[in-house]
Amino acid sequence: MEKAIGEILVVSFFGQSHVFQLTELCKKLSSFNFKTTFIVSSDISSTVSSSLIHHPYVNVAAVDAPLPPPPRPEIKFDPQPLMLHFKQMRQGVESILTSKNIAKNELKIVCAIVDSMMLTNLGDVFTKFQVPIVTFFPFSAAALAMEYAAWKADVEYIKPGEVRFLSNLPDEMAMDYDDIIRRYYNSSEEPLKGTKKKSFPTQPGDEPPWVEAIKDTIAILVNTYDELEHPFLEYIAKQTRLPVWGIGLLPEKFWTLTATKSLIHDKDIRAINNSNYSEDEILNWLETKTPNSVIYITFGSDVVPTLQEHEEISKALEESSTQNFIWVISKNQDYYPKGLEAKVGNRGLVIHGWAPQLLILSHPSTGGGMTHCGWNSIMEAIGQGVPLLAWPIRGDQFYNAKSIVCHLKIGHMVSSIRENIVFKKVKKEEIIQGIKRLMEDEQVYNRVKELSDKFRNGLPPVGSTAADLLDFKEFIMQPK
């Protein structure tokens, strides 16, 4: 094993998708002979993959910072537990930096790669210790660009019926009134408008929280690929005047297996958790279905539709008498559709807990997915050529959905009444029509297959991503 050329600190937010992405980044950095210290909350250190924990170039540093409880749709958001978590992570990071500063014969710390969700609370700690900061965005480039452009364009003043184009972004990403109203993540029935303040979650027209934080940043890494989001990456670089690299972080093994056009078994890529169905049982069920006949329904583990909307989904699936489906409900959701499986028989599976998402998406029986528009799930669906029914719920998901529907044109919104998605409630009839619209749209299906084929040629693992990381390595090793 070659000698390490320097150390990089990597700080993750606690969301599982964030941890997953930065785990992959640590592995990639190690291939360039960097030692990495992966800093996470002790509450989630046990979820870090064993391959990373035992990697000779990686050290996992667990900070005693208990996680805040997940938000609930019907309960007003309380920021205090989250603020306490940030404070404790800050103290832990400062302790790590202090110990490294005192220790002798330590490798030089060339930079700290900080998850953008942690940057506001940790940035000045690294500045204090004179460690250069690189900001990592786990979101799509479209979401970042749209968030920034909406702020600059004063979109909170858009009136009903008005369309406002965003300078230097594709015309199809223009915003209207439905793009700026938001259903706050509690029981409020009033639309929230932008306030030019750093609100949480950020509203259209607000100054993005990261704008001020990146003033001490030397570069930006985004979890995407240039082939997929070039105009948005270019926009971010021009607006921030910082070097920006798209270094999509799904494991390279995902793309290697994708290129073979064979089934992907999740256990080959990531840890398997508890579920009411085994992977073999799900595979056997999928094998009984005709090609492109199954819709796969899954939302995030924390940000989900309301309990009333869960009931609407259940009713829609019951009444869609010919539609095959897999519906995943995570174990920390306060809902389970009792009686649904008995009513629909063999045309539906309700998975409670973990689901082998890669297996389901890669199976020829899967013809569409209903999603909250989390970026990891979107990229996995694109890789497997699965069109999407967008049901955004919070934050960047709305911009991801707009990109899916308007820019990439690989899906539809769950409801043609957009106001219901962003402000009111989505009803059974809209869900039924949305599923039907997606599953019968050959043009959308062909477009996502065409996009998928570009990635099946191996572009992400052996093309631009490797080149971008090499450029990044050369950049951070330059004298500062």
Side-chain angles (χ1 to χ4, degrees):
M1 185 175 69
E2 296 182 34
K3 184 178 179 180
I5 61 175
E7 182 176 8
I8 297 177
L9 308 181
V10 179
V11 185
S12 178
F13 186 60
F14 56 78
Q16 278 301 309
S17 63
H18 297 242
V19 175
F20 179 67
Q21 293 171 28
L22 287 170
T23 295
E24 294 305 314
L25 179 56
C26 287
K27 293 176 184 177
K28 288 187 177 184
L29 292 171
S30 70
S31 69
F32 290 102
N33 296 327
F34 288 111
K35 176 187 174 184
T36 61
T37 297
F38 189 37
I39 304 173
V40 294
S41 163
S42 56
D43 279 6
I44 56 173
S45 58
S46 61
T47 67
V48 176
S49 68
S50 59
S51 62
L52 190 71
I53 292 172
H54 297 109
H55 198 290
Y57 274 160
V58 179
N59 171 50
V60 178
V63 173
D64 185 14
L67 303 186
R72 298 298 183 191
E74 285 76 23
I75 301 175
K76 186 174 182 179
F77 175 72
D78 178 7
Q80 292 306 312
L82 181 61
M83 292 302 103
L84 177 60
H85 170 79
F86 286 145
K87 179 181 179 181
Q88 292 169 324
M89 284 296 293
R90 178 187 177 88
Q91 293 169 344
V93 168
E94 189 157 6
S95 176
I96 290 169
L97 287 169
T98 299
S99 65
K100 287 184 177 294
N101 208 31
I102 294 173
K104 296 181 179 179
N105 302 320
E106 285 279 354
L107 281 171
K108 178 183 177 182
I109 300 175
V110 295
C111 71
I113 299 176
V114 183
D115 190 313
S116 62
M117 296 289 285
M118 304 296 293
L119 189 61
T120 300
N121 296 278
L122 294 178
D124 64 319
V125 176
F126 292 105
T127 301
K128 171 184 173 182
F129 284 86
Q130 298 183 318
V131 176
I133 301 169
V134 175
T135 301
F136 171 73
F137 286 102
F139 314 112
S140 70
L144 290 177
M146 289 290 292
E147 187 178 45
Y148 190 96
W151 168 51
K152 287 296 185 181
D154 294 324
V155 300
E156 71 269 33
Y157 301 114
I158 291 177
K159 297 179 175 61
E162 178 187 355
V163 175
R164 187 167 300 183
F165 291 93
L166 304 175
S167 180
N168 297 315
L169 287 179
D171 287 350
E172 62 268 20
M173 300 302 283
M175 297 181 70
D176 60 21
Y177 184 75
D178 284 343
D179 286 316
I180 68 167
I181 57 175
R182 289 286 187 272
R183 183 198 316 176
Y184 193 65
Y185 205 57
N186 59 28
S187 58
S188 170
E189 288 297 333
E190 294 299 321
L192 279 175
K193 295 291 195 69
T195 60
K196 293 295 179 190
K197 297 178 181 178
K198 298 179 180 68
S199 60
F200 184 81
T202 303
Q203 304 299 309
D206 288 352
E207 177 182 349
W210 51 267
V211 171
E212 182 71 24
I214 64 168
K215 288 184 177 179
D216 293 323
T217 288
I218 62 170
I220 291 173
L221 305 180
V222 187
N223 177 39
T224 192
Y225 302 105
D226 187 77
E227 293 85 356
L228 192 63
E229 295 197 288
H230 177 77
F232 304 110
L233 285 169
E234 186 176 55
Y235 178 87
I236 297 164
K238 286 181 178 178
Q239 298 302 318
T240 63
R241 299 180 181 179
L242 290 171
V244 176
W245 289 279
I247 53 166
L249 297 177
L250 283 172
E252 294 189 5
K253 192 170 184 180
F254 170 79
W255 298 108
T256 302
L257 292 171
T258 293
T260 68
K261 299 187 178 181
S262 60
L263 290 179
I264 299 178
H265 292 272
D266 292 66
K267 65 177 181 292
D268 295 335
I269 292 179
R270 54 195 178 200
I272 295 176
N273 297 313
N274 293 330
S275 172
N276 58 334
Y277 286 102
S278 69
E279 185 172 300
D280 286 342
E281 288 173 322
I282 294 167
L283 177 58
N284 290 337
W285 182 87
L286 284 165
E287 292 289 334
T288 67
K289 307 306 173 189
T290 56
N292 303 320
S293 68
V294 176
I295 185 159
Y296 173 56
I297 303 169
T298 182
F299 299 93
S301 56
D302 295 330
V303 183
V304 296
T306 65
L307 294 178
Q308 294 91 339
E309 287 171 320
H310 275 85
E311 284 292 341
E312 296 297 311
I313 296 172
S314 183
K315 293 174 186 176
L317 294 174
E318 179 184 345
E319 294 185 21
S320 300
S321 58
T322 61
Q323 179 61 59
N324 298 319
F325 67 88
I326 294 177
W327 184 10
V328 183
I329 301 176
S330 68
K331 291 206 169 179
N332 64 345
Q333 290 177 230
D334 297 327
Y335 178 82
Y336 192 81
K338 295 179 181 178
L340 178 63
E341 288 174 293
K343 293 174 182 176
V344 301
N346 193 47
R347 69 176 177 86
L349 277 186
V350 179
I351 299 176
H352 194 212
W354 180 88
Q357 179 159 299
L358 299 179
L359 173 70
I360 295 168
L361 290 173
S362 63
H363 198 281
S365 293
T366 303
M370 181 189 294
T371 175
H372 65 302
C373 299
W375 187 232
N376 267 6
S377 294
I378 290 172
M379 285 207 293
E380 290 178 358
I382 289 173
Q384 299 308 312
V386 176
L388 294 168
L389 194 61
W391 190 333
I393 296 168
R394 190 177 187 178
D396 66 301
Q397 297 165 10
F398 289 99
Y399 296 130
N400 291 342
K402 193 172 185 71
S403 181
I404 289 170
V405 176
C406 302
H407 179 64
L408 297 174
K409 296 181 172 62
I410 57 171
H412 294 286
M413 298 299 287
V414 66
S415 170
S416 57
I417 308 171
R418 288 171 53 217
E419 183 185 20
N420 286 359
I421 304 171
V422 300
F423 177 33
K424 297 183 179 178
K425 298 288 185 291
V426 180
K427 300 295 186 182
K428 170 191 67 177
E429 294 77 15
E430 299 165 61
I431 299 169
I432 292 172
Q433 288 303 313
I435 293 173
K436 180 178 174 62
R437 186 165 58 248
L438 179 76
M439 301 298 282
E440 295 180 355
D441 190 335
E442 291 188 11
Q443 290 185 334
V444 162
Y445 179 79
N446 290 336
R447 274 193 293 270
V448 74
K449 285 296 182 186
E450 181 180 345
L451 188 57
S452 173
D453 286 342
K454 291 182 180 180
F455 288 90
R456 289 181 189 274
N457 291 332
L459 285 173
V462 299
S464 64
T465 299
D468 282 347
L469 275 175
L470 186 58
D471 287 346
F472 173 66
K473 172 191 174 183
E474 293 175 354
F475 172 79
I476 60 174
M477 292 304 291
Q478 294 172 358
K480 300 296 188 289

